[in-house]
Structures are given as C-alpha cells and as structure tokens.
Amino acid sequence: MKRLCVAVLVTMSSMALAQEIGTEITPVTPGSGTTKPANQPNDNPYANNPPPSNTGDKQGEVKPAAKPVSADGILSAQKGAFGVRATFGGQGIGLAGRGTAAAPVDTGSLGFSYWGSDQFTLLFDVGVGLGISGGGVLFGFGATIGMDYHFRTSADALRPLINVQVGIGSGIASDIGNALQLTAQFAGGAEYFFSPSFSISGRIGLGLRLPFSSGSMTLTTFTPAAGAAWYF
C-alpha cells in the first residue's frame, strides 16, 4: 500500500513540473519577426531586387544606329572649295535659225570649279573632239565659262541650281575657222553631294549659237548634261 501511494505522488509531481516548463516557452506566431531561410519556394523574387522601371530604356532593347553626320553638319561644298569636274552633254536640238553649222564639242569636257560663296560657283570647261573623214583627221573644240547658283545651304545634300554659261567653239570639221561660233546657255538642274568632296549633277536648258561664218543665230532647246565633281 505504501508503494502505491509513493508511485502516485511521483507521477503527480512529474505532471506538475512538465506544465510549469511548458509555460516558459513563448509560442511562435506568423509575423512575430522571425526570418525564413533564404531561397524558399514562396519567397518574393523581387524582395531584394525590384523589377526594372518602365520609364527608362527596356532591358535588351536594340537601339537603331545613329545616322552619320559631318562634324559641323556640312553635307555639301561651301565657300572656298575648289573642284575638278567632268561633264557629258547631249546634242542640242535646233529650234529656230538657218545656216546652222556643226555644234561645238558637246559630248564631253573637263574643267574646274570654284565656290566664291556658299551659293555661287564659277565654272571653266574645255572639250576637244577628233574625227576621221576619208583620209583626213577632223578636229573640234569647245571652251566655256559660266556660273552655277545653288539654292538651299551647305547643310543640305541636294542643291537645286540654275546655270548660265557662254563660250566659243567649233564642231568637228576640216576647217575650224569656218566652223567657229559663239555659244550661250541657260539651264536648270540639281547637284547631289554624297559628301562635301564628291557630287553628281544634271541639268537641262536652252542654248544659243551664233556662227561666225553665216551670222545666223540658232536657238537650241533640250540640251541635257550630266557631270561629276571632286572638291578639295
């Protein structure tokens, strides 16, 4: 009987001690300030690294390459430029007159140009032609001075222009003295600059011829020409 009473007392003492120890441990509740281990499946991937803002450049976006421009925005030749030019002209069509002689050398010429200002260009061209007739060699030439007035500015690659020129020449003939004539032309066209140092041009105009031998003036129309120039 005494052993039974002792066993009951020991059991009751153990239960009381366990309850007292349990009250000393603070229970863990959500949001109590404890931290989770890193790289948990439910962690917010942007908790420490927020997503990029939409107000700036998008990540991975490829921007188009900027167009090349010259240092000062100059696209065409300007005041002080000196150029070497080659011009190829078509044969003018006679519109009025009589006693017309062979036209001066219009098929091709070489010359120089100088930009006196950003708009005005002084021109000088010379052309020489040869021909064979029977057993003889025929000779012809043409020399002109003129002016181009370019519209727009040196910041433009395409420059519309008007052209005025006068000259003297001879068609390809056995007697150059008899074929000499004065020439004049007024034309319009444009010059396109691939760079300030190189351009191509084209023009169409009206021409005037006055042969020395006959003194009969001839008006020509549709006188096309194309050329290229290299500027220094």
Side-chain angles (χ1 to χ4, degrees):
M1 187 67 180
K2 291 181 180 180
R3 293 180 179 177
L4 181 60
C5 290
V6 171
V8 172
L9 291 176
V10 171
T11 301
M12 292 179 65
S13 299
S14 299
M15 293 178 61
L17 180 61
Q19 290 180 357
E20 184 178 355
I21 295 174
T23 57
E24 294 178 354
I25 300 175
T26 304
V28 178
T29 59
S32 61
T34 58
T35 57
K36 295 182 178 181
N39 300 326
Q40 292 296 322
N42 295 329
D43 285 348
N44 184 356
Y46 300 113
N48 297 323
N49 297 314
S53 174
N54 293 329
T55 57
D57 296 336
K58 295 181 179 179
Q59 293 182 351
E61 181 180 1
V62 178
K63 295 184 179 179
K67 295 182 178 180
V69 295
S70 59
D72 300 324
I74 303 301
L75 299 178
S76 64
Q78 55 183 335
K79 181 179 179 179
F82 177 82
V84 178
R85 46 190 261 125
T87 304
F88 302 90
Q91 189 69 40
I93 300 174
L95 180 64
R98 62 183 179 82
T100 59
V105 178
D106 288 337
T107 55
S109 64
L110 296 176
F112 306 97
S113 59
Y114 176 75
W115 288 67
S117 71
D118 288 347
Q119 284 76 36
F120 286 97
T121 308
L122 299 177
L123 310 173
F124 177 75
D125 297 281
V126 175
V128 177
L130 296 174
I132 298 177
S133 177
V137 178
L138 308 181
F139 179 78
F141 78 97
T144 62
I145 58 174
M147 176 200 73
D148 281 344
Y149 179 84
H150 295 81
F151 296 93
R152 298 182 179 175
T153 68
S154 56
D156 298 294
L158 181 63
R159 305 284 300 272
L161 62 84
I162 56 175
N163 167 263
V164 177
Q165 62 184 32
V166 295
I168 186 172
S170 168
I172 299 176
S174 57
D175 186 359
I176 295 179
N178 191 46
L180 281 175
Q181 52 190 301
L182 295 175
T183 63
Q185 179 175 274
F186 177 82
E191 187 169 6
Y192 182 80
F193 290 82
F194 292 92
S195 74
S197 301
F198 176 73
S199 71
I200 59 173
S201 61
R203 64 176 187 266
I204 296 178
L206 295 174
L208 191 66
R209 294 177 184 157
L210 181 61
F212 288 167
S213 58
S214 64
S216 177
M217 184 174 63
T218 300
L219 179 66
T220 60
T221 184
F222 193 69
T223 53
W230 293 263
Y231 296 102
F232 305 95

